[in-house]
Amino acid sequence: MSLDYTTLAKTIAALTEGETDEVALMATVACEVHHSDDRFDWTGFYRVVAPELLKIGPYQGGHGCLQIPFSRGVCGAAARSGDVQLVPDVEAFPGHIACASSTRSELVLPVWNKADEVIGVFDIDSDQPDAFTQEDADQLGAILKQVFAA
C-alpha cells in the first residue's frame, strides 16, 4: 500500500493554516510525515542557521546530528545545491554522515521560503534499502512548498 499523499497534504494544510512560525511548522510537518509511513525511520528538519551551516530542527525518531556543514553529507548536498537528494544506498553516497547506523536509504528535500531562499532541508531516513521513490520526492516537495512558500 502506498502512502496517501492527498490525505496527508490536506491534514498538514489544516494543521498549519495561519501559522507563520517556521519551527512550529517544521514540528508539525515532521510529526505528521513520520507517522504516515512505516518506511520513515527518522524524519526531521535541519535549519540554515549561518552561512553554509545546518543545525538540527524539529524531528521524530532517534537522535540526529546536531550540526551539518553544507560541504558534508546528503543534507549538506541538498542545502548546497538546492536539489532533492534521493539516495537508495547511503553507503554508496560520497561523504555520507552516519548519524544513525541503522540508516540504509535517505531522501532529503531543500526547504524554500516565500523569498525563494533555502531555509533548511527536510531529511527522511529509512532502515530499508531503496525505500524512497520519485513520487515520494515530488509529493513531499509539494507539501513543503504548500507549507513554507505559499
Side-chain angles (χ1 to χ4, degrees):
M1 184 183 113
S2 70
L3 177 52
D4 179 355
Y5 279 109
T6 303
T7 300
L8 180 63
K10 286 179 182 171
T11 300
I12 289 172
L15 291 169
T16 59
E17 185 178 0
E19 182 56 64
T20 57
D21 182 87
E22 288 175 350
V23 174
L25 293 169
M26 288 176 181
T28 302
V29 171
C31 180
E32 288 301 313
V33 171
H34 184 74
H35 294 288
S36 69
D37 196 306
D38 290 342
R39 294 175 297 161
F40 304 163
D41 194 46
W42 192 95
T43 310
F45 289 87
Y46 284 94
R47 300 167 300 116
V48 176
V49 296
E52 307 287 308
L53 182 65
L54 297 165
K55 282 205 177 179
I56 198 158
Y59 67 91
Q60 300 275 315
H63 290 286
C65 297
L66 293 183
Q67 58 183 27
I68 299 174
F70 279 26
S71 60
R72 294 201 52 221
V74 183
C75 290
R80 183 174 66 249
S81 68
D83 296 328
V84 171
Q85 303 293 310
L86 183 56
V87 182
D89 176 6
V90 296
E91 299 298 323
F93 189 91
H96 173 255
I97 302 169
C99 296
S101 59
S102 59
T103 300
R104 293 288 168 259
S105 58
E106 192 166 3
L107 173 61
V108 183
L109 300 101
V111 180
W112 304 86
N113 65 11
K114 289 177 179 67
D116 212 27
E117 302 161 323
V118 174
I119 58 167
V121 298
F122 186 45
D123 180 18
I124 306 174
D125 296 348
S126 181
D127 55 8
Q128 303 167 29
D130 201 13
F132 305 105
T133 65
Q134 188 60 50
E135 183 193 8
D136 294 320
D138 295 345
Q139 296 284 352
L140 290 165
I143 289 171
L144 293 173
K145 186 173 185 177
Q146 161 195 307
V147 172
F148 295 97

